[in-house]
Amino acid sequence: MFSNLLKFILGFLLAIAILIGTGVATALYFMNRTAIPPTKPIFANDHPSQRTQSPKATEAAATKTESQPKATSTPTPTPTATETPKPEESPKPLPPGAYQGKVTWAQGLSLRAEPKQDAERVGGVGFNQKVIILEESDDKLWQKIRQEDTNQEGWVKAGNTEKSEGNEEVQQPEKPQQDQ
């Protein structure tokens, strides 16, 4: 009888130890899984050639470019000519009520077709990317934006963008030119 009681108590303690051990192992597993940040999403409008170049590769390309103008001075004006239209394209007149801004959410934002959380995803915007905020939803929870580099439009959650600081400086010189 004493050995049966001892077996019962030992079995009971062993069962409790197994349950506690399993619970702790499961908790640690899920805590470690949530501690790993997800991979950065790759969108159709991303430029993989720009992201994959390392600074060393850029320096090597710059060294090659420097050696080519010594042989002929003609290639030097060509890159300058292609770079010149880019700054001219960006100061397009903004729609009424729109302003320039940038993305402040570190992981980037998902562009949605409508101002709803469950709306279709139409693209994405990276951290610190320049955007044009076109309008806000009626409930002020969503903002319609346009990406400056791709002109893709969509809705993002409000509060994840901020107005660019140099925005007033860009718009004020345009107003006197328009009045004259």
Side-chain angles (χ1 to χ4, degrees):
M1 172 140 160
F2 181 70
S3 71
N4 287 340
L5 184 62
L6 187 60
K7 285 180 187 179
F8 175 76
I9 293 173
L10 191 59
F12 185 76
L13 292 176
L14 185 60
I16 291 194
I18 289 173
L19 286 174
I20 290 173
T22 306
V24 168
T26 304
L28 286 175
Y29 172 77
F30 284 113
M31 286 182 2
N32 284 334
R33 293 292 293 162
T34 58
I36 300 170
T39 58
K40 183 178 179 188
I42 298 175
F43 300 105
N45 61 350
D46 285 347
H47 303 290
S49 60
Q50 293 177 352
R51 287 187 288 117
T52 57
Q53 281 186 345
S54 64
K56 293 179 184 177
T58 308
E59 292 172 6
T63 309
K64 289 179 184 177
T65 309
E66 290 174 3
S67 62
Q68 288 176 354
K70 292 178 185 175
T72 59
S73 60
T74 310
T76 306
T78 307
T80 310
T82 55
E83 293 177 7
T84 307
K86 290 179 183 176
E88 291 174 7
E89 292 175 5
S90 59
K92 292 178 185 176
L94 298 175
Y99 57 92
Q100 292 179 336
K102 66 178 182 176
V103 176
T104 58
W105 189 254
Q107 286 80 22
L109 300 174
S110 294
L111 282 177
R112 307 248 177 222
E114 300 173 16
K116 294 186 230 170
Q117 185 66 32
D118 58 347
E120 178 189 0
R121 227 170 103 187
V122 295
V125 188
F127 174 65
N128 261 347
Q129 188 171 349
K130 292 182 180 179
V131 295
I132 299 171
I133 291 91
L134 301 171
E135 62 180 291
E136 287 187 349
S137 64
D138 294 335
D139 58 2
K140 304 287 186 210
L141 295 176
W142 294 85
Q143 294 176 323
K144 186 170 186 178
I145 65 166
R146 179 188 312 143
Q147 295 183 26
E148 285 190 353
D149 55 349
T150 63
N151 287 332
Q152 184 179 20
E153 292 185 9
W155 292 88
V156 297
K157 281 276 201 177
N160 296 319
T161 61
E162 70 177 16
K163 191 172 184 177
S164 293
E165 294 175 3
N167 201 19
E168 293 82 19
E169 297 173 10
V170 173
Q171 289 181 351
Q172 286 178 359
E174 291 178 3
K175 289 180 183 176
Q177 291 174 358
Q178 291 173 355
D179 292 338
Q180 293 176 350

PDB file of all heavy atoms in Angstrom, residues 35-71:
ATOM      1  N   ALA A  35      10.138  37.881 -31.698  1.00  0.00           N
ATOM      2  CA  ALA A  35      11.265  38.804 -31.555  1.00  0.00           C
ATOM      3  C   ALA A  35      12.011  38.995 -32.867  1.00  0.00           C
ATOM      4  O   ALA A  35      12.757  39.953 -33.021  1.00  0.00           O
ATOM      5  CB  ALA A  35      12.233  38.296 -30.479  1.00  0.00           C
ATOM      6  N   ILE A  36      11.806  38.123 -33.842  1.00  0.00           N
ATOM      7  CA  ILE A  36      12.477  38.222 -35.130  1.00  0.00           C
ATOM      8  C   ILE A  36      11.676  39.159 -36.026  1.00  0.00           C
ATOM      9  O   ILE A  36      10.507  38.903 -36.294  1.00  0.00           O
ATOM     10  CB  ILE A  36      12.592  36.832 -35.794  1.00  0.00           C
ATOM     11  CG1 ILE A  36      13.383  35.879 -34.916  1.00  0.00           C
ATOM     12  CG2 ILE A  36      13.233  36.952 -37.178  1.00  0.00           C
ATOM     13  CD1 ILE A  36      13.333  34.434 -35.395  1.00  0.00           C
ATOM     14  N   PRO A  37      12.286  40.277 -36.493  1.00  0.00           N
ATOM     15  CA  PRO A  37      11.527  41.174 -37.368  1.00  0.00           C
ATOM     16  C   PRO A  37      11.318  40.516 -38.738  1.00  0.00           C
ATOM     17  O   PRO A  37      12.183  39.775 -39.208  1.00  0.00           O
ATOM     18  CB  PRO A  37      12.418  42.408 -37.484  1.00  0.00           C
ATOM     19  CG  PRO A  37      13.788  41.925 -37.156  1.00  0.00           C
ATOM     20  CD  PRO A  37      13.631  40.760 -36.227  1.00  0.00           C
ATOM     21  N   PRO A  38      10.199  40.776 -39.370  1.00  0.00           N
ATOM     22  CA  PRO A  38       9.945  40.180 -40.689  1.00  0.00           C
ATOM     23  C   PRO A  38      10.867  40.791 -41.737  1.00  0.00           C
ATOM     24  O   PRO A  38      11.409  41.890 -41.562  1.00  0.00           O
ATOM     25  CB  PRO A  38       8.485  40.534 -40.967  1.00  0.00           C
ATOM     26  CG  PRO A  38       8.222  41.731 -40.140  1.00  0.00           C
ATOM     27  CD  PRO A  38       9.107  41.604 -38.920  1.00  0.00           C
ATOM     28  N   THR A  39      11.042  40.087 -42.835  1.00  0.00           N
ATOM     29  CA  THR A  39      11.874  40.615 -43.908  1.00  0.00           C
ATOM     30  C   THR A  39      11.195  41.807 -44.544  1.00  0.00           C
ATOM     31  O   THR A  39       9.964  41.912 -44.559  1.00  0.00           O
ATOM     32  CB  THR A  39      12.122  39.537 -44.986  1.00  0.00           C
ATOM     33  OG1 THR A  39      10.869  39.098 -45.478  1.00  0.00           O
ATOM     34  CG2 THR A  39      12.884  38.356 -44.408  1.00  0.00           C
ATOM     35  N   LYS A  40      11.997  42.722 -45.084  1.00  0.00           N
ATOM     36  CA  LYS A  40      11.460  43.913 -45.717  1.00  0.00           C
ATOM     37  C   LYS A  40      10.764  43.510 -47.013  1.00  0.00           C
ATOM     38  O   LYS A  40      11.337  42.789 -47.821  1.00  0.00           O
ATOM     39  CB  LYS A  40      12.588  44.899 -46.021  1.00  0.00           C
ATOM     40  CG  LYS A  40      12.091  46.189 -46.623  1.00  0.00           C
ATOM     41  CD  LYS A  40      13.194  47.165 -46.871  1.00  0.00           C
ATOM     42  CE  LYS A  40      12.630  48.422 -47.494  1.00  0.00           C
ATOM     43  NZ  LYS A  40      13.660  49.323 -47.920  1.00  0.00           N
ATOM     44  N   PRO A  41       9.541  43.967 -47.223  1.00  0.00           N
ATOM     45  CA  PRO A  41       8.837  43.579 -48.451  1.00  0.00           C
ATOM     46  C   PRO A  41       9.469  44.231 -49.667  1.00  0.00           C
ATOM     47  O   PRO A  41      10.016  45.337 -49.596  1.00  0.00           O
ATOM     48  CB  PRO A  41       7.416  44.102 -48.229  1.00  0.00           C
ATOM     49  CG  PRO A  41       7.560  45.176 -47.221  1.00  0.00           C
ATOM     50  CD  PRO A  41       8.743  44.811 -46.368  1.00  0.00           C
ATOM     51  N   ILE A  42       9.419  43.541 -50.779  1.00  0.00           N
ATOM     52  CA  ILE A  42       9.929  44.067 -52.048  1.00  0.00           C
ATOM     53  C   ILE A  42       8.722  44.342 -52.930  1.00  0.00           C
ATOM     54  O   ILE A  42       7.912  43.458 -53.186  1.00  0.00           O
ATOM     55  CB  ILE A  42      10.882  43.071 -52.713  1.00  0.00           C
ATOM     56  CG1 ILE A  42      12.090  42.835 -51.801  1.00  0.00           C
ATOM     57  CG2 ILE A  42      11.328  43.585 -54.081  1.00  0.00           C
ATOM     58  CD1 ILE A  42      13.028  41.776 -52.307  1.00  0.00           C
ATOM     59  N   PHE A  43       8.600  45.567 -53.383  1.00  0.00           N
ATOM     60  CA  PHE A  43       7.469  45.980 -54.182  1.00  0.00           C
ATOM     61  C   PHE A  43       7.871  46.086 -55.643  1.00  0.00           C
ATOM     62  O   PHE A  43       9.046  46.163 -55.983  1.00  0.00           O
ATOM     63  CB  PHE A  43       6.931  47.332 -53.685  1.00  0.00           C
ATOM     64  CG  PHE A  43       6.478  47.293 -52.258  1.00  0.00           C
ATOM     65  CD1 PHE A  43       7.249  47.869 -51.256  1.00  0.00           C
ATOM     66  CD2 PHE A  43       5.303  46.666 -51.912  1.00  0.00           C
ATOM     67  CE1 PHE A  43       6.846  47.817 -49.943  1.00  0.00           C
ATOM     68  CE2 PHE A  43       4.886  46.615 -50.598  1.00  0.00           C
ATOM     69  CZ  PHE A  43       5.660  47.185 -49.624  1.00  0.00           C
ATOM     70  N   ALA A  44       6.882  46.100 -56.521  1.00  0.00           N
ATOM     71  CA  ALA A  44       7.130  46.144 -57.953  1.00  0.00           C
ATOM     72  C   ALA A  44       7.847  47.419 -58.375  1.00  0.00           C
ATOM     73  O   ALA A  44       8.596  47.429 -59.351  1.00  0.00           O
ATOM     74  CB  ALA A  44       5.811  46.018 -58.711  1.00  0.00           C
ATOM     75  N   ASN A  45       7.658  48.509 -57.634  1.00  0.00           N
ATOM     76  CA  ASN A  45       8.275  49.771 -58.011  1.00  0.00           C
ATOM     77  C   ASN A  45       9.658  49.971 -57.379  1.00  0.00           C
ATOM     78  O   ASN A  45      10.258  51.023 -57.566  1.00  0.00           O
ATOM     79  CB  ASN A  45       7.361  50.938 -57.643  1.00  0.00           C
ATOM     80  CG  ASN A  45       7.097  51.015 -56.163  1.00  0.00           C
ATOM     81  OD1 ASN A  45       7.434  50.101 -55.416  1.00  0.00           O
ATOM     82  ND2 ASN A  45       6.483  52.093 -55.723  1.00  0.00           N
ATOM     83  N   ASP A  46      10.161  49.000 -56.654  1.00  0.00           N
ATOM     84  CA  ASP A  46      11.508  49.094 -56.099  1.00  0.00           C
ATOM     85  C   ASP A  46      12.532  48.946 -57.217  1.00  0.00           C
ATOM     86  O   ASP A  46      12.299  48.241 -58.196  1.00  0.00           O
ATOM     87  CB  ASP A  46      11.761  47.996 -55.052  1.00  0.00           C
ATOM     88  CG  ASP A  46      11.058  48.292 -53.744  1.00  0.00           C
ATOM     89  OD1 ASP A  46      10.594  49.428 -53.573  1.00  0.00           O
ATOM     90  OD2 ASP A  46      10.978  47.377 -52.909  1.00  0.00           O
ATOM     91  N   HIS A  47      13.653  49.609 -57.060  1.00  0.00           N
ATOM     92  CA  HIS A  47      14.721  49.537 -58.042  1.00  0.00           C
ATOM     93  C   HIS A  47      15.827  48.650 -57.476  1.00  0.00           C
ATOM     94  O   HIS A  47      16.660  49.123 -56.699  1.00  0.00           O
ATOM     95  CB  HIS A  47      15.263  50.931 -58.349  1.00  0.00           C
ATOM     96  CG  HIS A  47      14.191  51.868 -58.835  1.00  0.00           C
ATOM     97  ND1 HIS A  47      13.609  51.735 -60.064  1.00  0.00           N
ATOM     98  CD2 HIS A  47      13.583  52.914 -58.227  1.00  0.00           C
ATOM     99  CE1 HIS A  47      12.696  52.678 -60.217  1.00  0.00           C
ATOM    100  NE2 HIS A  47      12.652  53.406 -59.109  1.00  0.00           N
ATOM    101  N   PRO A  48      15.864  47.344 -57.825  1.00  0.00           N
ATOM    102  CA  PRO A  48      16.850  46.436 -57.224  1.00  0.00           C
ATOM    103  C   PRO A  48      18.284  46.806 -57.571  1.00  0.00           C
ATOM    104  O   PRO A  48      19.184  46.562 -56.801  1.00  0.00           O
ATOM    105  CB  PRO A  48      16.476  45.065 -57.775  1.00  0.00           C
ATOM    106  CG  PRO A  48      15.640  45.319 -58.968  1.00  0.00           C
ATOM    107  CD  PRO A  48      15.005  46.662 -58.768  1.00  0.00           C
ATOM    108  N   SER A  49      18.523  47.448 -58.714  1.00  0.00           N
ATOM    109  CA  SER A  49      19.895  47.791 -59.071  1.00  0.00           C
ATOM    110  C   SER A  49      20.460  48.849 -58.126  1.00  0.00           C
ATOM    111  O   SER A  49      21.639  48.846 -57.803  1.00  0.00           O
ATOM    112  CB  SER A  49      19.963  48.291 -60.509  1.00  0.00           C
ATOM    113  OG  SER A  49      19.153  49.453 -60.655  1.00  0.00           O
ATOM    114  N   GLN A  50      19.615  49.748 -57.636  1.00  0.00           N
ATOM    115  CA  GLN A  50      20.090  50.774 -56.713  1.00  0.00           C
ATOM    116  C   GLN A  50      20.323  50.214 -55.322  1.00  0.00           C
ATOM    117  O   GLN A  50      21.229  50.624 -54.630  1.00  0.00           O
ATOM    118  CB  GLN A  50      19.084  51.916 -56.628  1.00  0.00           C
ATOM    119  CG  GLN A  50      18.977  52.690 -57.912  1.00  0.00           C
ATOM    120  CD  GLN A  50      17.920  53.773 -57.829  1.00  0.00           C
ATOM    121  OE1 GLN A  50      17.168  53.843 -56.870  1.00  0.00           O
ATOM    122  NE2 GLN A  50      17.859  54.611 -58.847  1.00  0.00           N
ATOM    123  N   ARG A  51      19.495  49.244 -54.902  1.00  0.00           N
ATOM    124  CA  ARG A  51      19.621  48.705 -53.558  1.00  0.00           C
ATOM    125  C   ARG A  51      20.806  47.755 -53.429  1.00  0.00           C
ATOM    126  O   ARG A  51      21.384  47.640 -52.380  1.00  0.00           O
ATOM    127  CB  ARG A  51      18.337  47.960 -53.164  1.00  0.00           C
ATOM    128  CG  ARG A  51      17.185  48.880 -52.878  1.00  0.00           C
ATOM    129  CD  ARG A  51      15.993  48.136 -52.337  1.00  0.00           C
ATOM    130  NE  ARG A  51      15.359  47.355 -53.401  1.00  0.00           N
ATOM    131  CZ  ARG A  51      15.263  46.036 -53.398  1.00  0.00           C
ATOM    132  NH1 ARG A  51      15.708  45.331 -52.402  1.00  0.00           N
ATOM    133  NH2 ARG A  51      14.695  45.397 -54.399  1.00  0.00           N
ATOM    134  N   THR A  52      21.147  47.033 -54.498  1.00  0.00           N
ATOM    135  CA  THR A  52      22.182  46.019 -54.383  1.00  0.00           C
ATOM    136  C   THR A  52      23.589  46.578 -54.521  1.00  0.00           C
ATOM    137  O   THR A  52      24.541  45.916 -54.167  1.00  0.00           O
ATOM    138  CB  THR A  52      21.984  44.918 -55.442  1.00  0.00           C
ATOM    139  OG1 THR A  52      21.974  45.524 -56.736  1.00  0.00           O
ATOM    140  CG2 THR A  52      20.683  44.172 -55.205  1.00  0.00           C
ATOM    141  N   GLN A  53      23.731  47.785 -55.017  1.00  0.00           N
ATOM    142  CA  GLN A  53      25.067  48.345 -55.157  1.00  0.00           C
ATOM    143  C   GLN A  53      25.616  48.724 -53.795  1.00  0.00           C
ATOM    144  O   GLN A  53      24.971  49.386 -52.998  1.00  0.00           O
ATOM    145  CB  GLN A  53      25.043  49.599 -56.030  1.00  0.00           C
ATOM    146  CG  GLN A  53      24.970  49.297 -57.506  1.00  0.00           C
ATOM    147  CD  GLN A  53      25.102  50.576 -58.321  1.00  0.00           C
ATOM    148  OE1 GLN A  53      24.965  51.669 -57.785  1.00  0.00           O
ATOM    149  NE2 GLN A  53      25.370  50.425 -59.592  1.00  0.00           N
ATOM    150  N   SER A  54      26.833  48.275 -53.544  1.00  0.00           N
ATOM    151  CA  SER A  54      27.486  48.644 -52.299  1.00  0.00           C
ATOM    152  C   SER A  54      28.265  49.940 -52.521  1.00  0.00           C
ATOM    153  O   SER A  54      28.538  50.311 -53.653  1.00  0.00           O
ATOM    154  CB  SER A  54      28.444  47.526 -51.857  1.00  0.00           C
ATOM    155  OG  SER A  54      29.477  47.393 -52.800  1.00  0.00           O
ATOM    156  N   PRO A  55      28.640  50.631 -51.439  1.00  0.00           N
ATOM    157  CA  PRO A  55      29.408  51.857 -51.603  1.00  0.00           C
ATOM    158  C   PRO A  55      30.726  51.625 -52.335  1.00  0.00           C
ATOM    159  O   PRO A  55      31.185  52.461 -53.086  1.00  0.00           O
ATOM    160  CB  PRO A  55      29.654  52.336 -50.174  1.00  0.00           C
ATOM    161  CG  PRO A  55      28.564  51.703 -49.379  1.00  0.00           C
ATOM    162  CD  PRO A  55      28.247  50.418 -50.073  1.00  0.00           C
ATOM    163  N   LYS A  56      31.339  50.456 -52.121  1.00  0.00           N
ATOM    164  CA  LYS A  56      32.596  50.165 -52.804  1.00  0.00           C
ATOM    165  C   LYS A  56      32.380  50.060 -54.305  1.00  0.00           C
ATOM    166  O   LYS A  56      33.187  50.518 -55.091  1.00  0.00           O
ATOM    167  CB  LYS A  56      33.192  48.865 -52.264  1.00  0.00           C
ATOM    168  CG  LYS A  56      33.644  48.984 -50.824  1.00  0.00           C
ATOM    169  CD  LYS A  56      34.198  47.682 -50.316  1.00  0.00           C
ATOM    170  CE  LYS A  56      34.558  47.812 -48.841  1.00  0.00           C
ATOM    171  NZ  LYS A  56      35.034  46.540 -48.294  1.00  0.00           N
ATOM    172  N   ALA A  57      31.261  49.457 -54.721  1.00  0.00           N
ATOM    173  CA  ALA A  57      30.966  49.344 -56.143  1.00  0.00           C
ATOM    174  C   ALA A  57      30.725  50.724 -56.749  1.00  0.00           C
ATOM    175  O   ALA A  57      31.125  51.000 -57.867  1.00  0.00           O
ATOM    176  CB  ALA A  57      29.756  48.453 -56.364  1.00  0.00           C
ATOM    177  N   THR A  58      30.091  51.610 -56.020  1.00  0.00           N
ATOM    178  CA  THR A  58      29.849  52.966 -56.494  1.00  0.00           C
ATOM    179  C   THR A  58      31.165  53.720 -56.651  1.00  0.00           C
ATOM    180  O   THR A  58      31.369  54.443 -57.612  1.00  0.00           O
ATOM    181  CB  THR A  58      28.915  53.716 -55.524  1.00  0.00           C
ATOM    182  OG1 THR A  58      27.756  52.923 -55.301  1.00  0.00           O
ATOM    183  CG2 THR A  58      28.525  55.069 -56.080  1.00  0.00           C
ATOM    184  N   GLU A  59      32.075  53.547 -55.688  1.00  0.00           N
ATOM    185  CA  GLU A  59      33.377  54.198 -55.780  1.00  0.00           C
ATOM    186  C   GLU A  59      34.160  53.675 -56.975  1.00  0.00           C
ATOM    187  O   GLU A  59      34.830  54.434 -57.681  1.00  0.00           O
ATOM    188  CB  GLU A  59      34.171  53.979 -54.493  1.00  0.00           C
ATOM    189  CG  GLU A  59      33.586  54.690 -53.284  1.00  0.00           C
ATOM    190  CD  GLU A  59      34.279  54.290 -51.996  1.00  0.00           C
ATOM    191  OE1 GLU A  59      35.278  53.557 -52.057  1.00  0.00           O
ATOM    192  OE2 GLU A  59      33.803  54.707 -50.932  1.00  0.00           O
ATOM    193  N   ALA A  60      34.067  52.372 -57.237  1.00  0.00           N
ATOM    194  CA  ALA A  60      34.776  51.800 -58.381  1.00  0.00           C
ATOM    195  C   ALA A  60      34.198  52.348 -59.675  1.00  0.00           C
ATOM    196  O   ALA A  60      34.933  52.654 -60.616  1.00  0.00           O
ATOM    197  CB  ALA A  60      34.678  50.281 -58.354  1.00  0.00           C
ATOM    198  N   ALA A  61      32.887  52.509 -59.741  1.00  0.00           N
ATOM    199  CA  ALA A  61      32.255  53.072 -60.933  1.00  0.00           C
ATOM    200  C   ALA A  61      32.658  54.534 -61.108  1.00  0.00           C
ATOM    201  O   ALA A  61      32.878  54.995 -62.221  1.00  0.00           O
ATOM    202  CB  ALA A  61      30.742  52.943 -60.850  1.00  0.00           C
ATOM    203  N   ALA A  62      32.768  55.268 -60.011  1.00  0.00           N
ATOM    204  CA  ALA A  62      33.185  56.666 -60.081  1.00  0.00           C
ATOM    205  C   ALA A  62      34.633  56.767 -60.561  1.00  0.00           C
ATOM    206  O   ALA A  62      34.986  57.668 -61.323  1.00  0.00           O
ATOM    207  CB  ALA A  62      33.036  57.336 -58.727  1.00  0.00           C
ATOM    208  N   THR A  63      35.481  55.838 -60.145  1.00  0.00           N
ATOM    209  CA  THR A  63      36.868  55.833 -60.576  1.00  0.00           C
ATOM    210  C   THR A  63      36.938  55.564 -62.073  1.00  0.00           C
ATOM    211  O   THR A  63      37.699  56.213 -62.790  1.00  0.00           O
ATOM    212  CB  THR A  63      37.674  54.754 -59.811  1.00  0.00           C
ATOM    213  OG1 THR A  63      37.453  54.923 -58.423  1.00  0.00           O
ATOM    214  CG2 THR A  63      39.142  54.850 -60.141  1.00  0.00           C
ATOM    215  N   LYS A  64      36.126  54.640 -62.574  1.00  0.00           N
ATOM    216  CA  LYS A  64      36.088  54.363 -64.005  1.00  0.00           C
ATOM    217  C   LYS A  64      35.593  55.581 -64.765  1.00  0.00           C
ATOM    218  O   LYS A  64      36.101  55.907 -65.831  1.00  0.00           O
ATOM    219  CB  LYS A  64      35.183  53.165 -64.291  1.00  0.00           C
ATOM    220  CG  LYS A  64      35.758  51.851 -63.824  1.00  0.00           C
ATOM    221  CD  LYS A  64      34.805  50.710 -64.119  1.00  0.00           C
ATOM    222  CE  LYS A  64      35.321  49.392 -63.557  1.00  0.00           C
ATOM    223  NZ  LYS A  64      34.371  48.303 -63.785  1.00  0.00           N
ATOM    224  N   THR A  65      34.596  56.268 -64.233  1.00  0.00           N
ATOM    225  CA  THR A  65      34.049  57.445 -64.889  1.00  0.00           C
ATOM    226  C   THR A  65      35.084  58.561 -64.943  1.00  0.00           C
ATOM    227  O   THR A  65      35.176  59.282 -65.927  1.00  0.00           O
ATOM    228  CB  THR A  65      32.788  57.934 -64.149  1.00  0.00           C
ATOM    229  OG1 THR A  65      31.901  56.837 -63.988  1.00  0.00           O
ATOM    230  CG2 THR A  65      32.093  59.046 -64.912  1.00  0.00           C
ATOM    231  N   GLU A  66      35.877  58.700 -63.888  1.00  0.00           N
ATOM    232  CA  GLU A  66      36.905  59.725 -63.859  1.00  0.00           C
ATOM    233  C   GLU A  66      37.993  59.445 -64.880  1.00  0.00           C
ATOM    234  O   GLU A  66      38.546  60.356 -65.471  1.00  0.00           O
ATOM    235  CB  GLU A  66      37.517  59.828 -62.460  1.00  0.00           C
ATOM    236  CG  GLU A  66      36.568  60.416 -61.435  1.00  0.00           C
ATOM    237  CD  GLU A  66      37.148  60.369 -60.030  1.00  0.00           C
ATOM    238  OE1 GLU A  66      38.299  59.935 -59.881  1.00  0.00           O
ATOM    239  OE2 GLU A  66      36.438  60.759 -59.096  1.00  0.00           O
ATOM    240  N   SER A  67      38.299  58.183 -65.117  1.00  0.00           N
ATOM    241  CA  SER A  67      39.343  57.861 -66.072  1.00  0.00           C
ATOM    242  C   SER A  67      38.861  58.067 -67.502  1.00  0.00           C
ATOM    243  O   SER A  67      39.640  58.388 -68.375  1.00  0.00           O
ATOM    244  CB  SER A  67      39.835  56.418 -65.874  1.00  0.00           C
ATOM    245  OG  SER A  67      38.768  55.522 -66.115  1.00  0.00           O
ATOM    246  N   GLN A  68      37.576  57.905 -67.792  1.00  0.00           N
ATOM    247  CA  GLN A  68      37.060  58.084 -69.139  1.00  0.00           C
ATOM    248  C   GLN A  68      37.087  59.540 -69.594  1.00  0.00           C
ATOM    249  O   GLN A  68      37.473  59.803 -70.722  1.00  0.00           O
ATOM    250  CB  GLN A  68      35.628  57.547 -69.222  1.00  0.00           C
ATOM    251  CG  GLN A  68      35.568  56.041 -69.167  1.00  0.00           C
ATOM    252  CD  GLN A  68      34.125  55.537 -69.159  1.00  0.00           C
ATOM    253  OE1 GLN A  68      33.198  56.335 -69.091  1.00  0.00           O
ATOM    254  NE2 GLN A  68      33.974  54.226 -69.226  1.00  0.00           N
ATOM    255  N   PRO A  69      36.753  60.530 -68.787  1.00  0.00           N
ATOM    256  CA  PRO A  69      36.796  61.905 -69.272  1.00  0.00           C
ATOM    257  C   PRO A  69      38.196  62.363 -69.647  1.00  0.00           C
ATOM    258  O   PRO A  69      38.356  63.265 -70.441  1.00  0.00           O
ATOM    259  CB  PRO A  69      36.249  62.735 -68.120  1.00  0.00           C
ATOM    260  CG  PRO A  69      35.378  61.789 -67.368  1.00  0.00           C
ATOM    261  CD  PRO A  69      36.053  60.465 -67.522  1.00  0.00           C
ATOM    262  N   LYS A  70      39.230  61.759 -69.097  1.00  0.00           N
ATOM    263  CA  LYS A  70      40.588  62.133 -69.470  1.00  0.00           C
ATOM    264  C   LYS A  70      40.835  61.800 -70.936  1.00  0.00           C
ATOM    265  O   LYS A  70      41.503  62.538 -71.639  1.00  0.00           O
ATOM    266  CB  LYS A  70      41.604  61.411 -68.580  1.00  0.00           C
ATOM    267  CG  LYS A  70      41.576  61.871 -67.150  1.00  0.00           C
ATOM    268  CD  LYS A  70      42.551  61.089 -66.321  1.00  0.00           C
ATOM    269  CE  LYS A  70      42.439  61.481 -64.852  1.00  0.00           C
ATOM    270  NZ  LYS A  70      43.305  60.656 -64.003  1.00  0.00           N
ATOM    271  N   ALA A  71      40.271  60.687 -71.400  1.00  0.00           N
ATOM    272  CA  ALA A  71      40.459  60.288 -72.785  1.00  0.00           C
ATOM    273  C   ALA A  71      39.628  61.187 -73.707  1.00  0.00           C
ATOM    274  O   ALA A  71      40.132  61.708 -74.690  1.00  0.00           O
ATOM    275  CB  ALA A  71      40.072  58.832 -72.981  1.00  0.00           C
TER     276      ALA A  71
END
